[in-house]
Amino acid sequence: MAFGGVIPLYNKRNGSWLLRRVFRSREKVLIFLVCLTFLFICIGPIFFLPDLRGGLSTKVDHVYKVYKQMQKAGPELILPPPPPDSGELGPIRKHEGVYHNVVNPNDIHLTDDKQRLMEKINNDEELRNMRVIEKPVVLTVSATPVNKVNAAAGQIDESVKVLKEEEEAVESNDIRAGFQSDGGALKGGSSSMVVQGGEDADPIARQRRDKVKEMVLHAWRGYKTYAWGKNELKPISKRGHTAGIFGRQDMGATIVDALDTLYIMGLMEEFNEGRAWIQYHLDFNQLRSEMSVFETNIRFVGGLLSVFALTGDALFRDRALHIARKLLPAFDTPTGIPYGLINVANGIAKNYAWASGGSSILSEFGTLHLEFVYLSDISGDPVFREKVLRIRDVIRKTDRPGGLYPNYMNPKTGKWGQRHTSVGALGDSFYEYLIKSYIQSNCKDVVAKEMYEEAVDTITKRLVLKSHSGLTYLAESKFDRLEHKMDHLACFAGGMYALGSKTIDSENSKTHMEIAEGLSNTCHESYARTPTGLGPESFRFTEGMEARALKSSEKYYILRPEAIESWFYMWRLTKDQKYREWAWSAVLALEKYCRVEAGFSGIQNVYMETPQKDDVQQSFIFAETFKYLYLIFSDDALMSLDEWVFNTEAHPLPIEGKNAFYRKSQGSTIQLQFDKVL
Ligand code: DMJ
């Protein structure tokens, strides 16, 4: 409505109508009130409607999050899924650990998905109400007994307090074990064990190692400043980030994943900040949403076990035990093959809807052995070993099509799912854990050895190929057809072949070492053939293309370690200088393309001179990428491969009988007073 309808805008003078220039004061008040009401209507909702209350930036964030989730959910959210081409085979899309298969419309998991959506809505509400996590309390572990620090800080969280006797045990002996004045060197087994220090004789290597350490400090400070206690950092937006694998709640994944690296690098101030956070805040009783059994095991359980072995600090063992026990309901299936996801609050477990008719994934249920066996040994609780031995038994006794292990197995029937085999995504670390279990057991676990030899022989015969120009690569098999694509994830296999070749003396050892060299070289080629010097997520081999990504969804680099990991093993096992040079090129590329003011970010296209950043500092950059780089430029005695075996997240675990830090439990099973029985 115009003002002219309420207030007369014209005066009649000398018989003609003239526009009024001034208003009376009552009229002015009226105009002011109308304007005020109008303003109130426009701006009021920002303050009163709950969705907008956080201000415009929160709203934009919220919209962005929803948009991202829809993007992840894919077109199935809006469109009904297209029918599979034939049988259950369908296109697979993958994005950072999330793999989509075409959804079967009758799939019971669709109902599941709806439920998940509801849970998500509820969880969002919970997240809003979540407690604020304080900045770290800095402890000086070697000088200050744990109990006294607790008392001084006056903030023991009763729900996560370890038994008093255990804390005292820590105080009295073990915790100082890693803090020797000789830089962490301890007499153990037959050799002198080095877990800190370990400078190389070569001054260039020493300088390069210092650079890696500086990068770690830069990334850690960014995380500490902007995302402390969150799972990961968004180094450009400078805030926390959490992926679904972590259960969408703040569980400090970066802290747990980084801790052993900080320790090995001798960054004790940072290590102690992390330890304090774990002591006061790492509590899985707080979790209300689903998380990945596999990721929780390799990052949280593996990370904690590693720092327990390194330091002897019972806090870490007890947290590992606390978390692993939360995962146990996932193993309650007719076969003992665990589900991939668990809601630790209610013990309800299930599989990803996209995974071959509700199957479990080989690389997930096949990557528990190292952590679970070690956990049983240090806790005295046999349950963990029993779980992984049962898994092994089932997969060993089930016939494999063409000798290859398919990527999926149904946990209810024990039948293999789709006939896909990959040494990259969905298969990778299952193979890695066979040889590493054999190593961890000090070559006593001969079943693991046999399984490794059989699996690798078949892979060698069927999937290891050479390109036109002679590059060795690992293809994938889909229903007996080869796909000439290799994932960045599969680059770990260079290291695996090398480790196997050095560990098992057989007629194949030489060939396996050649394959190791070939694969490590091909992964390097995938880096060298990009302007950024960083490798793509997947690369292909066709008539006209070698070691290059084809689709845009294959061109990103998310700070992954696998190529560097294989160069680490090759350096240690061959001493060929070129592996150090390749690692150094990767350092320079990370600095140039991934470093930002608050840390390190992945990039979206390795083939662009000025790539967009993905704004995520993955927790594994600390656990793996930085650790392998640091160790490449260290003396071999530091974290010697004769004493330690690295889990798939690069958390070192001691080799039984060869490593004084194995710390096997002498007494009865450890009870934790903070465990909630489900
Ligand atoms: C890590 O979390 C582990 O190495 C896992 O086995 C697969 N890859 C990621 C990092 O790329």
Side-chain angles (χ1 to χ4, degrees), residues 373-385:
V373 161
Y374 188 48
L375 205 47
S376 276
D377 281 353
I378 59 170
S379 69
D381 187 346
V383 67
F384 304 103
R385 177 180 261 110

Side-chain angles (χ1 to χ4, degrees), residues 160 162 170 220 251-264 271 273-285 287 291 294-327 370-372 374-375 378-379 433 619 623 627 644-645 647-654 661-663 672 674-675:
V160 291
V162 288
V170 172
W220 178 258
M251 302 312 290
T254 292
I255 298 175
V256 182
D257 238 4
L259 221 52
D260 56 0
T261 301
L262 296 173
Y263 184 86
I264 292 166
F271 172 83
E273 290 164 0
R275 185 198 181 278
W277 188 89
I278 287 171
Q279 180 170 17
Y280 299 119
H281 302 290
L282 183 64
D283 176 8
F284 270 49
N285 292 328
L287 257 180
M291 61 193 305
F294 159 76
E295 297 288 356
T296 306
N297 177 58
I298 65 166
R299 300 191 199 209
F300 285 88
V301 179
L304 290 164
L305 289 177
S306 196
V307 275
F308 167 66
L310 287 165
T311 64
D313 184 343
L315 168 80
F316 299 125
R317 176 199 60 200
D318 294 343
R319 287 297 189 278
L321 200 51
H322 160 67
I323 294 169
R325 284 186 179 150
K326 295 277 184 196
L327 303 179
L370 296 180
E371 297 82 2
F372 274 39
Y374 188 48
L375 205 47
I378 59 170
S379 69
Y433 269 35
S619 75
K627 189 186 284 136
W644 300 93
V645 60
N647 89 341
T648 192
E649 189 78 359
H651 294 305
L653 298 173
F661 289 156
Y662 199 83
R663 307 179 198 280
L672 305 173
F674 56 83
D675 270 352

Side-chain angles (χ1 to χ4, degrees), residues 145-148 150-151 156-158 160-173 275 279 313-315 317-319 670-674:
V146 177
N147 287 341
K148 285 180 199 140
N150 291 348
I156 296 174
D157 177 350
E158 281 305 319
V160 291
K161 201 181 129 209
V162 288
L163 291 179
K164 197 164 179 297
E165 312 86 74
E166 286 159 17
E167 287 187 347
E168 276 161 6
V170 172
E171 202 182 309
S172 63
N173 50 53
R275 185 198 181 278
Q279 180 170 17
D313 184 343
L315 168 80
R317 176 199 60 200
D318 294 343
R319 287 297 189 278
I670 290 164
Q671 305 295 329
L672 305 173
Q673 73 184 45
F674 56 83

Side-chain angles (χ1 to χ4, degrees), residues 294 298-299 429 489 560-562 620 624 648-649:
F294 159 76
I298 65 166
R299 300 191 199 209
S429 40
L489 289 167
R560 284 200 193 279
E562 292 79 11
F620 53 65
E624 303 187 73
T648 192
E649 189 78 359

